[in-house]
Amino acid sequence: MFKSPKTYLLLVFTLVITLLLAACGQAVEHNNSSVDGTESAVSSSNTNDSSSEVDMVTYQASNGDIQVPRHPKRIVDLTSFDTGYFLALGIKPVGVMNGVLNSPYFEGMLEGVQGLGDEPSLEHILELNPDLIVVFSGMEGLDKLAEIAPVVAIQYGAKTIRDQMLDFGTLTGKEAEAKAWVEQWNKKIKELKPKVLAAVGGKTVSILNPFSGGLFVFGHSYGRGGEIIYNEFGLKAPPEAQKEAIDSGTGWATISLEKLPQFAGDIVFTCPWAGDTSDPKIVYDNPLWKHLPAVKAGNVFQLDPTADTYSDPVTLEAQLNYITESLLSAK
C-alpha cells in the first residue's frame, strides 16, 4: 500500500529497488544531492583479460570507473526502466525484473529471458552467469553484486533520451545502432511536432494519476508520456501544474482532490496508479472529475499502468503513436 507521497521523491517504483535490496540484505538510499553527475564513457585505454579472452574496457559510471566487457553478452538488468534501451539496441538481457515482462510494448522481445521476480536473490542472479549487471545509482551493497560480475550504476533521469541512448550504445559496443535510433527518433519528432502543435493550439495538457492520497501530477519526466508531451512536442500544462511539476524540475507533484480543477488541462492523459491498490474510481467517479472541461469534451485519454510508466526507446516509440493520435483527435 502506498503510504506517503514522500516515498516517491526520487524514483518511480522505488518498491522494486527496495525489494531487490532487501533480498540482498542491504538498504537503498536515493539522494539526488549525492550524485556526482559523471558522464559515462569508455576509456581509450583498454585491457584484455587473457585468461578469459574477454576484451575489457574502462567505463565511467555513476559508481566509478568500472572494467566491463567491450561487448557484454549476458546482461542482467535490475532497473526495469532501462530494459527497453537494450532491446532497442538489439540486445536481449539474460535476466530482468518481473515488472518488465508485463509490458505489452515488449511483447515477443523477451522470449527466453529469465524473470527475476520482484525479490531477486543473489543466488538467482549468479545462476545466470552474467558478464554485466546494470542497476540504478544510489544503491548500497553493490559490492555483493560485483562479486558476481561488473556492476554499472545508472542515475535515473539524469540524461535526456538521446544522451542516455548514446551512452548505452557506448556501454554495449553498439554505438552505430544507438546513433541510428537517435537519428530515426529525431526524424519522427520533426515530422509529427508541427502537426501536433497545429492541432493542439493553445490547449493545455495534464498527466494525472489517482492514488490513495489524492493525485499525482506528472511533468516532463517519470514516464507516462511526459517526455514526449512536454519535452519533444513542447506543449504546456496548466499554470499550476507547469510550475509545480515542470518548472520546478522535479517532474511530478502531489495534490489533493480538491485542487484537481487547478491542475487539469484542456487535454488529460491518465491511468490508475500502479504503486498501490486504491480504487481510482474514488477520483474518476467524483463530481470534480466529471465536471472537468476535458472530461466533458471527451479529451481524456487512458494510459497503460503496466507499460507507460517507462520511458525507454521501445516504450517511447509506442507512446509516440498513441499520444500523437490522441492529441490530433482532441476536440
Side-chain angles (χ1 to χ4, degrees):
M1 189 76 173
F2 192 96
K3 297 181 179 179
S4 168
K6 292 182 180 179
T7 61
Y8 191 79
L9 281 174
L10 299 172
L11 184 62
V12 181
F13 292 141
T14 50
L15 176 62
V16 173
I17 302 302
T18 304
L19 291 174
L20 167 63
L21 293 176
C24 297
Q26 296 292 337
V28 177
E29 288 185 5
H30 287 290
N31 188 333
N32 286 340
S33 63
S34 68
V35 177
D36 59 17
T38 302
E39 293 294 328
S40 297
V42 172
S43 169
S44 59
S45 58
N46 299 339
T47 60
N48 189 52
D49 187 341
S50 58
S51 62
S52 61
E53 297 184 355
V54 175
D55 189 14
M56 305 292 285
V57 295
T58 302
Y59 182 83
Q60 296 176 358
S62 292
N63 55 323
D65 290 349
I66 309 298
Q67 290 290 303
V68 302
R70 181 184 293 278
H71 298 285
K73 304 295 184 184
R74 301 185 60 80
I75 299 173
V76 166
D77 173 35
L78 301 181
T79 70
S80 291
F81 295 91
D82 287 339
T83 301
Y85 281 95
F86 297 116
L87 297 177
L89 290 170
I91 299 171
K92 186 184 292 188
V94 295
V96 298
M97 300 294 284
N98 265 18
V100 177
L101 301 176
N102 297 325
S103 173
Y105 302 148
F106 299 151
E107 185 176 359
M109 304 179 73
L110 291 171
E111 294 179 1
V113 175
Q114 185 71 228
L116 296 172
D118 296 323
E119 300 181 31
S121 66
L122 290 173
E123 291 77 9
H124 198 171
I125 295 172
L126 180 61
E127 289 174 358
L128 295 177
N129 190 29
D131 57 6
L132 179 65
I133 301 173
V134 179
V135 302
F136 279 132
S137 62
M139 292 177 63
E140 288 188 351
L142 298 188
D143 55 329
K144 292 184 178 296
L145 291 173
E147 293 177 1
I148 300 175
V151 178
V152 164
I154 305 294
Q155 186 187 354
Y156 176 85
K159 297 178 182 292
T160 65
I161 299 164
R162 296 163 179 80
D163 287 345
Q164 188 65 76
M165 183 55 151
L166 294 173
D167 196 53
F168 273 109
T170 301
L171 172 63
T172 59
K174 296 277 189 176
E175 292 91 342
E177 290 85 346
K179 183 178 179 181
W181 185 91
V182 170
E183 291 175 349
Q184 181 187 45
W185 180 256
N186 288 339
K187 182 178 179 181
K188 290 180 179 179
I189 297 301
K190 184 178 180 180
E191 175 187 352
L192 295 174
K193 184 174 181 178
K195 299 177 182 178
V196 168
L197 293 178
V200 173
K203 296 185 182 72
T204 56
V205 184
S206 293
I207 305 173
L208 304 172
N209 274 189
F211 80 109
S212 59
L215 292 103
F216 280 117
V217 181
F218 289 101
H220 59 307
S221 54
Y222 291 102
R224 298 162 180 83
E227 291 83 357
I228 294 172
I229 293 168
Y230 300 119
N231 291 343
E232 300 298 329
F233 288 158
L235 301 178
K236 294 295 182 182
E240 285 299 315
Q242 183 76 31
K243 175 184 175 182
E244 297 295 330
I246 300 176
D247 295 342
S248 66
T250 60
W252 63 278
T254 58
I255 62 171
S256 63
L257 183 58
E258 291 72 23
K259 292 185 178 181
L260 174 60
Q262 303 172 47
F263 286 80
D266 302 306
I267 301 170
V268 172
F269 288 88
T270 187
C271 69
W273 170 244
D276 63 34
T277 57
S278 60
D279 188 350
K281 290 183 178 180
I282 295 174
V283 172
Y284 294 148
D285 287 346
N286 190 282
L288 281 174
W289 179 272
K290 290 185 175 181
H291 285 88
L292 292 175
V295 175
K296 290 183 175 181
N299 288 341
V300 175
F301 302 98
Q302 197 73 30
L303 299 170
D304 187 339
T306 68
D308 286 318
T309 54
Y310 302 129
S311 57
D312 59 82
V314 174
T315 299
L316 286 171
E317 289 176 355
Q319 287 178 339
L320 182 62
N321 294 332
Y322 176 69
I323 289 171
T324 299
E325 291 174 1
S326 300
L327 292 172
L328 294 179
S329 70
K331 304 175 183 63

